[in-house]
Amino acid sequence: MGGLNILQVSPQLHDAQWWEREAHDKVHCYLCPRHCHIGNGQAGFCFIRTNRDGKLYSLGYGAPAAIQIDPIEKKPLNHFLPGTAVFSMGTAGCNMGCFFCQNWDISKSRQDQVNARDVPAEQVPLLALRHGCDSLAFTYNEPTIWGEYVIDICNAARPYGLKTVMVTNGYITRDAFHDIYDHIDAANVDLKAFTENFYGKITLTHLQPVLDTLLLLKKETPVWFELTNLMIPTLNDDPGETRRLADWIFNNLGPDVPLHFTAFHPDFKLRDKPRTPPETLHRARQIALEAGLHFVYEGNIYSNAANTYCPGCGKVLVQRSWHSVEANRLKEGKCPGCSRPIPGVWSKREAARFVS
Ligand code: SF4
């Protein structure tokens, strides 16, 4: 990235957390529900956790493969510090195997195949502040698999008042969950579909662990979180499935968790499906609103459904064009028309209160 004085490096070994020894120099990684049993000299499914002589190491530590300044709306988060810039970074590898991955150049690479940079955890908040960011996002690939680096960056960021964001597939074990999320202020979680068939065949994982993570976020943390459902023609856009997904959110997470339906474009191993027609997103949004959800967005297309509307009086509260905020009419987190409180973290002052 231009302007950042950071060095290119080869992969370094960093002691990993969340593992145990097994017989014959094997190790068991229990960071994510894959529970890889890794032989000496081999790496787990995610590529960046490797067994050397019976010890597990993280390869992505201190070595991001992608760094960018993004609008927070791009994560997407529409109810968390709207209109602010977020220092966004990712490493190599992933613990899911999505055929439609839109960041496959890094998520499907080993750490030694990416153009990694040397960025110690303590340097990250300084870079973020220098670029006018209010928060840091762990994104682009799955941040769970580099949780050691995430935790150290969060600890380095706290004294500066920077907020922290996970953009995640939610595939994490309960054993590791609090170790990471106790440091996090906000998250966007992909709920990629609502069938085990899709998760099994298209992402090479399972649905239930993702739902379990959402329940943990709701019940055991103060983390502000929003959900994304990327709609892929014929694979997860059935109206009945959308209704079941929305009903589950309403019944388990409540009506105020924002849900983003986003448009797919052909990529990686899924090039035989067309782009998602805007009508599919409009229909999904209507279904979710009818199920009782209050904040349902459309993304990756130009749409009025990028705006935040008051669920009470229908007033446009935050007006957006693509990822940019054109107007923010909220008054201290309330609708200026009917005074209804709108759930979210609307200012840094509120963010401090929200996570206390
Ligand atoms: S984090 Fe990586 S090595 Fe660990 S269980 Fe998941 S996929 Fe396997």
Side-chain angles (χ1 to χ4, degrees):
M1 208 189 91
L4 299 187
N5 181 23
I6 46 185
L7 302 170
Q8 210 167 316
V9 288
S10 50
Q12 305 287 321
L13 293 179
H14 183 90
D15 286 354
Q17 250 179 277
W18 310 294
W19 64 280
E20 61 189 2
R21 286 180 203 279
E22 295 187 316
H24 310 298
D25 275 349
K26 278 184 119 178
V27 301
H28 165 212
C29 176
Y30 52 83
L31 171 52
C32 92
R34 283 196 175 278
H35 287 282
C36 292
H37 298 270
I38 309 168
N40 190 6
Q42 296 180 334
F45 179 93
C46 60
F47 301 146
I48 66 160
R49 304 178 73 76
T50 185
N51 176 351
R52 300 283 165 90
D53 300 324
K55 264 190 87 177
L56 189 67
Y57 294 93
S58 164
L59 286 177
Y61 189 96
I67 297 179
Q68 203 165 298
I69 315 299
D70 287 333
I72 193 81
E73 287 74 18
K74 193 176 172 186
K75 298 302 101 188
L77 285 174
N78 279 358
H79 292 226
F80 188 81
L81 305 178
T84 61
V86 53
F87 189 86
S88 302
M89 53 196 293
T91 69
C94 190
N95 57 351
M96 285 196 173
C98 303
F99 292 175
F100 53 89
C101 184
Q102 314 214 319
N103 284 334
W104 58 271
D105 51 334
I106 56 171
S107 71
K108 296 299 157 212
S109 299
R110 297 194 316 262
Q111 187 66 23
D112 60 0
Q113 294 172 321
V114 295
N115 192 15
R117 306 281 154 169
D118 181 16
V119 186
E122 315 78 62
Q123 202 186 340
V124 174
L126 303 178
L127 289 168
L129 290 170
R130 196 192 304 166
H131 289 81
C133 297
D134 286 342
S135 59
L136 311 170
F138 313 114
T139 178
Y140 304 135
N141 74 328
E142 175 50 45
T144 298
I145 63 173
W146 41 286
E148 297 88 353
Y149 189 30
V150 166
I151 291 170
D152 286 353
I153 293 170
C154 290
N155 283 329
R158 191 169 303 116
Y160 297 98
L162 288 161
K163 302 300 160 195
T164 53
V165 175
M166 289 279 279
V167 180
T168 177
N169 58 31
Y171 217 53
I172 184 170
T173 58
R174 189 183 171 92
D175 290 313
F177 177 83
H178 278 289
D179 292 339
I180 294 178
Y181 282 91
D182 286 358
H183 298 274
I184 296 296
D185 298 305
N188 185 290
V189 184
D190 271 339
L191 183 51
K192 294 171 188 275
F194 207 65
T195 63
E196 175 58 20
N197 192 43
F198 180 100
Y199 266 90
K201 288 190 177 150
I202 310 290
T203 75
L204 311 182
T205 56
H206 301 285
L207 169 62
Q208 189 58 48
V210 179
L211 300 182
D212 292 344
T213 296
L214 295 176
L215 292 171
L216 287 176
L217 279 168
K218 172 74 181 172
K219 292 180 178 165
E220 297 190 9
T221 76
V223 174
W224 175 260
F225 66 99
E226 306 187 12
L227 305 178
T228 295
N229 181 218
L230 179 78
M231 303 215 89
I232 306 173
T234 72
L235 293 183
N236 64 356
D237 62 347
D238 174 72
E241 180 179 342
T242 301
R243 179 67 198 221
R244 286 191 294 280
L245 178 142
D247 284 343
W248 187 90
I249 295 169
F250 182 88
N251 291 326
N252 292 279
L253 308 177
D256 290 330
V257 174
L259 172 60
H260 302 253
F261 290 112
T262 57
F264 159 86
H265 65 262
D267 215 332
F268 195 39
K269 294 181 186 170
L270 213 56
R271 293 179 188 268
D272 60 330
K273 300 289 180 199
R275 285 177 180 271
T276 312
E279 297 71 37
T280 301
L281 301 189
H282 303 335
R283 182 184 66 198
R285 180 169 184 266
Q286 199 51 42
I287 290 169
L289 290 171
E290 283 167 13
L293 301 187
H294 287 158
F295 305 101
V296 187
Y297 297 98
E298 298 173 6
N300 295 349
I301 61 168
Y302 279 101
S303 163
N304 286 339
N307 298 335
T308 301
Y309 296 91
C310 175
C313 68
K315 189 175 178 66
V316 178
L317 300 173
V318 184
Q319 192 174 333
R320 299 182 184 85
S321 173
W322 203 257
H323 295 134
S324 115
V325 172
E326 310 277 289
N328 182 349
R329 304 192 180 96
L330 281 160
K331 292 266 178 294
E332 299 190 336
K334 292 183 181 160
C335 172
C338 67
S339 299
R340 182 183 175 121
I342 305 299
V345 179
W346 303 109
S347 68
K348 284 184 83 175
R349 184 169 47 82
E350 270 181 87
R353 197 171 63 231
F354 192 76
V355 298
S356 63

